[in-house]
Amino acid sequence: MTQKTNLRIALVTGASSGFGRAICTRLIADGYVVIAAARRIDRLQQLQDELGSNLYPLELDVRDLDSVARIKEIIPEHLSDIDLLINNAGLALGIDPAQKASLNDWLTMIETNVIGLTCMTHAILPGMVKKQSGHIINIGSIAGKYPYPGGNVYGATKAYVAQFSLNLRADLAGTCVRVSDVQPGLCGGTEFSAVRFHGDSEKANALYANVEPILPADIAETVAWVAALPKHVNINTIELMPTAQSFSALQITRNIK
């Protein structure tokens, strides 16, 4: 067995599809051993078949706080010394205005995007501080910065990710542990929009009509670049959009009689 000290170990949540899958693929190409965590173990096993033994599939729902708290016990001992944590698990549900939105959708987004990410960080961070080395990369969103109709709780959860990342940086000064927040704009090639529209493929596909969006490989490339920088360099926040997306004027509703 390879000596523990020779391994660079990454833990990626939400690894069964989309960004997470692409990040796992890229990190393994960069020489990491990757713990790929997600709810759908069958997809993780398929990914292991594709990428080889340097990918360790781990069935995990970040909303299961007991399992997250015991993550160091669940992971094999020789893989428990995490160097890189990618908090990727997250989702958006619904696009209705706040007054019509589903409370269950709101709570699911909070449980996953906020509580799950927070508890995963809490479980892994002490080990990084102890060894004075490590990097946490949170996958946020431009939705945490730029409001839009229907973004209500999803945008709020990503605003939490942005501020939590910065506050971690403040707490971790002097520990050599790095924290970064990657904030994508419009992204295609994932299940994100299909999940958001509760399986309505027509609505999901309409978002990408005649647009070349960011793809999972672009996010994986960004994560790999942020992680590969020298240890004295910390990327606090990185925001990226497809060229087709930009900023628009604030929406104004006019009462015309």
Side-chain angles (χ1 to χ4, degrees), residues 19 183-190 208 211-219 240-243 245:
F19 294 172
Q183 301 176 351
L186 181 67
C187 298
T190 74
Y208 307 105
V211 173
E212 186 175 2
I214 289 173
L215 297 173
D218 302 317
I219 302 305
L240 59 156
M241 296 179 179
T243 306
Q245 184 180 39

Side-chain angles (χ1 to χ4, degrees), residues 113-115 117-119 144 154-166:
N113 302 357
V114 175
I115 298 174
L117 178 145
T118 302
C119 293
Y154 175 67
T157 64
K158 293 304 184 177
Y160 172 87
V161 172
Q163 191 62 33
F164 182 53
S165 300
L166 294 176

